[in-house]
């Protein structure tokens, strides 16, 4: 295989704010793997919170270039296991490589990845939500109105006005709501607000408490009138078992666990344990979103709107129309870059 690394800095449609900070641009590292004249693509973005930088990801990937150039791709999962000792400390880099390997694998075999996994695509696939980042109430209402007709909206919270935000948005749509506090609440806040949120049509609460607040989270899981879904508390494969008894479900992020290979195992394990399954995105281009789409048959919920938050994209692949995912007539993850 031949590996090419590309960096992109892409503006967002709006400043995107969650409880721990704001950003105006998305910085992506795209991995291209080429074999037999075919190319596969994967990506991971910079993240201050998780310590992922262009420089760190690039250095990690360059360290495995000799192995890649001496290898013919046969099975992405085997390649992931081979490289884990070298890339385990940089899951964002391993994710970008693993996504590219899956995209290339499917193209080499003339099939979409979901089909090679033995999955089925039908009308029962969950729709994706559309995320409304934190802002003034007026601005959050305006953001919702820019994307009318979605079946589900995910609302970022973590302010003194959280209930007022949800009430204002409820006045503009009958859609299902999900709320994500990104670790900003206490157990008492969560339990106090949950009944009002339920009455406002909220489906579940994502990661209300900090990831180390396990004792308090057990209380929330036991007493909350709404389901609670882990995000920051479920980053890698071992975390799935840890979430049992503390959350009703887990939200798996490809960049945090290291790619499609571990994400698929995490979802299958969660199903075995009776946990609800979700995959979420960071801000991502269609490269990363198309990889998430391969997992849809394994999911109860999905948050894969990241490319829609960008002012410009760099690829074609899956398309999203008011929450519904449309797959391309393309093998692998279906990705083609639209930039040189």
């Amino acid at each position: 295989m031949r590996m090419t690394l590309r960096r992109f800095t892409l503006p967002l449609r709006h400043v995107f704010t969650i409880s721990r900070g704001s950003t105006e641009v998305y910085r992506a590292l795209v991995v291209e793997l080429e074999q037999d004249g075919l190319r596969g693509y994967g990506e991971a973005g910079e993240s201050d919170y998780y310590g992922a930088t262009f420089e760190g990801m690039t250095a990690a990937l360059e360290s495995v270039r000799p192995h890649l150039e001496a290898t013919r791709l046969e099975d992405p999962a085997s390649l992931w296991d081979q490289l884990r000792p070298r890339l385990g400390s940089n899951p964002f880099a391993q994710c970008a490589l693993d996504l590219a390997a899956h995209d290339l694998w499917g193209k080499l075999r003339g099939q979409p990845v979901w089909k090679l996994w033995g999955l089925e695509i039908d009308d029962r696939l969950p729709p994706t939500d559309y995320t409304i980042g934190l802002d003034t109430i007026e601005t959050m209402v305006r953001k919702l109105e820019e994307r009318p007709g979605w079946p589900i909206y995910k609302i970022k919270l973590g302010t003194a006005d959280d209930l007022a935000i949800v009430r204002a948005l409820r006045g503009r749509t009958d859609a299902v709501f999900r709320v994500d506090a990104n670790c900003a609440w206490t157990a008492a806040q969560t339990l106090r607000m949950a009944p009002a949120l339920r009455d406002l049509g909220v489906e579940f609460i994502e990661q209300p408490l900090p990831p180390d607040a396990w004792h308090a989270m057990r209380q929330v899981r036991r007493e909350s009138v709404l389901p609670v879904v882990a995000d920051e508390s479920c980053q890698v494969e071992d975390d799935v078992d840890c979430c049992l008894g503390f959350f009703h479900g887990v939200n798996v992020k490809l960049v945090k666990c290291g790619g499609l290979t571990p994400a698929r195992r995490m979802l299958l394990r969660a199903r075995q344990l009776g946990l609800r399954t979700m995959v979420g995105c960071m801000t991502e281009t269609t490269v990363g979103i198309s990889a998430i789409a391969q997992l849809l048959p394994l999911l109860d919920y999905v948050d894969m709107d990241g490319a829609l938050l960008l002012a410009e994209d760099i690829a074609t692949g899956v398309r999203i129309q008011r929450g519904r995912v449309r797959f391309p007539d393309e093998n692998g993850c279906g990705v083609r870059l639209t930039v040189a």
Side-chain angles (χ1 to χ4, degrees), residues 92 181 260 336:
F92 280 56
L260 284 168
R336 288 184 180 271

Side-chain angles (χ1 to χ4, degrees), residues 49-81:
Y49 184 78
Y50 292 103
T53 64
F54 275 150
E55 293 73 21
M57 289 187 286
T58 298
L61 291 166
E62 289 295 346
S63 74
V64 299
R65 183 183 290 277
H67 181 93
L68 292 172
E69 292 181 345
T71 300
R72 286 188 60 81
L73 180 65
E74 298 295 338
D75 173 42
S78 295
L79 180 66
W80 192 93
D81 289 333

